[in-house]
């Protein structure tokens, strides 16, 4: 039976309380309720799965700060979705966003001071930041232009591209400038949402923020591209053609019959008979010369591959 981790459940409960408070004070439509509750449920499930994969039973001190930020982002999400149907309290939306952005600097310090820095905490913090930037860009886009959506969507486009290009999933080295650019996006979007600057200046700062974001992502993509694994070389299969050796036809070699060489007379010593010379008896059969026995047995040919 899977273990129920209290941290994500506490975050879900806190999110529902915050949504109820918004509904009781400034009002919240059904769409806002649905967006906020859906965000909270998804965060609870994703965080529970992350804890399970990390083998952790509870959230660390910095993770609790990030969870509080996630609850605030859920409130911003509900207010932004609610703004499509009726006017929304801009001051409240900007204030909640500002607190969430300020707490982004707190959870990292808590993690370092308590020695609880973890991959799960870093990923949780990054996802909360990315979703806050996406929601704020959706809110600012109707007034500034739909191109502002590129600010909030860029991180998710990168994730979608990494699903197709595996080399984009490699680990990136830590870079402080990346964190500065990410924090600047939230601040600029919050300023644009507050409408405290003239419209031309709002456009200028938004364009500058997008340019910084493109530069940061472009540098990371270039770094990953230059260090991507080399593609395996595909070689054509080698087809071995069996060698057919024509049979060797050996003509029979006529071996001349051995020529009998006249044998020398064999002198048989006999008992001397009154001074006569020894009796010489010629051999009865001729004595053959040397015969090439191997050639006769092999048909007249001695092969050079005799070792086989």
């Amino acid at each position: 039976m899977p273990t129920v981790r209290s941290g994500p459940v506490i975050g879900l409960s806190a999110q529902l309380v915050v949504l109820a408070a918004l509904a009781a004070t400034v009002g919240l439509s059904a769409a806002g309720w649905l967006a906020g509750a859906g965000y909270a449920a998804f965060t609870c499930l994703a965080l529970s799965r992350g804890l399970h994969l990390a083998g952790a039973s509870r959230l660390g001190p910095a993770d609790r700060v990030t969870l509080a930020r996630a609850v605030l982002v859920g409130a911003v999400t509900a207010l932004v979705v609610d703004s499509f149907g009726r006017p929304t309290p801009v001051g409240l939306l900007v204030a909640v966003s500002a607190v969430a952005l300020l707490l982004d600097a707190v959870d990292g310090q808590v993690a370092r001071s308590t020695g609880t820095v973890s991959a799960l905490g870093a990923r949780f913090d990054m996802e909360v930041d990315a979703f806050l930037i996406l929601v704020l860009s959706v809110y600012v886009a109707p007034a500034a232009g739909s191109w502002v959506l590129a600010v909030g969507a860029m991180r998710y486009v990168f994730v979608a591209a990494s699903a197709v290009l595996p080399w984009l999933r490699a680990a990136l080295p830590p870079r402080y400038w990346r964190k500065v650019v990410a924090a600047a996006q939230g601040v600029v979007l919050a300023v644009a949402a507050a409408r405290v600057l003239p419209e031309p200046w709002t456009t200028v700062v938004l364009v500058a923020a997008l340019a910084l974001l493109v530069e940061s992502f472009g540098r990371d993509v270039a770094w990953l591209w230059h260090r991507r694994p080399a593609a395996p070389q595909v070689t054509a299969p080698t087809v071995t053609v069996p060698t057919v050796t024509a049979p060797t036809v050996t003509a029979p070699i006529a071996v001349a019959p051995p020529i009998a060489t006249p044998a020398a007379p064999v002198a048989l010593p006999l008992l001397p008979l009154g001074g006569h010379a020894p009796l010489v008896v010629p051999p009865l059969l001729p004595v053959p010369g040397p015969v090439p026995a191997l050639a006769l047995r092999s048909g007249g040919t001695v092969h050079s591959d005799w070792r086989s």
Side-chain angles (χ1 to χ4, degrees):
M1 181 177 180
T3 303
V4 178
R5 291 165 174 82
S6 59
V9 176
I10 292 174
L12 176 60
S13 303
Q15 186 71 80
L16 296 178
V17 171
V18 170
L19 293 176
L22 289 176
T25 53
V26 298
L28 200 62
S29 64
W33 261 105
L34 184 61
Y39 164 83
F42 181 82
T43 301
C44 178
L45 293 175
L47 188 55
S48 298
R49 184 174 184 272
L51 288 171
H52 173 71
L53 294 177
S57 59
R58 62 182 64 185
L59 297 175
D63 299 331
R64 298 189 189 101
V65 178
T66 307
L67 183 61
R69 293 181 55 232
V71 172
L72 295 176
V73 172
V76 175
T77 301
L79 291 173
V80 169
V81 173
D82 193 59
S83 68
F84 295 147
R86 60 177 186 168
T88 188
V90 178
L92 178 62
L93 186 149
V94 174
V96 175
S97 301
V99 174
L101 291 171
L102 290 175
L103 289 178
D104 188 22
V106 175
D107 53 6
Q109 293 181 356
V110 172
R112 289 186 291 270
S113 62
T114 58
T116 55
V117 177
S118 65
L120 174 62
R123 179 65 182 273
F124 186 27
D125 178 68
M126 179 180 62
E127 296 297 343
V128 172
D129 289 341
F131 195 76
L132 176 60
I133 293 173
L134 175 63
V135 171
L136 289 177
S137 67
V138 170
Y139 180 76
V140 174
S146 58
W147 61 270
V148 180
L149 295 175
V151 176
M154 191 166 298
R155 196 259 169 180
Y156 297 98
V157 171
F158 180 84
V159 173
S162 66
V164 181
L165 303 173
W167 55 270
L168 287 176
R169 295 195 291 266
L172 286 166
R175 188 157 53 89
Y176 182 73
W177 178 246
R178 188 186 301 118
K179 298 180 180 180
V180 172
V181 172
Q185 306 305 309
V187 173
V188 169
L189 287 171
V191 171
R195 298 183 178 90
V196 295
L197 295 177
E199 185 175 348
W201 283 104
T202 300
T203 303
V204 169
V205 295
L206 286 173
V207 170
L210 179 59
L212 291 176
L213 194 61
V214 170
E215 184 275 335
S216 180
F217 270 94
R219 183 186 301 185
D220 288 342
V221 170
W223 189 92
L224 293 171
W225 168 260
H226 289 300
R227 288 159 181 81
R228 71 191 187 282
Q233 297 181 356
V234 179
T235 57
T238 303
V239 179
T240 304
V241 179
T243 303
V244 180
T245 305
T248 303
V249 179
T250 305
I253 299 177
V255 180
I259 300 174
T261 56
V266 180
L268 297 179
L270 298 176
L271 293 176
L273 298 174
H276 292 281
L279 180 63
V280 179
V281 179
L284 300 177
L285 297 174
V287 179
V291 179
L294 181 59
L296 292 174
R297 290 196 300 267
S298 61
T301 301
V302 180
H303 297 281
S304 60
D305 56 344
W306 55 269
R307 289 166 297 180
S308 59

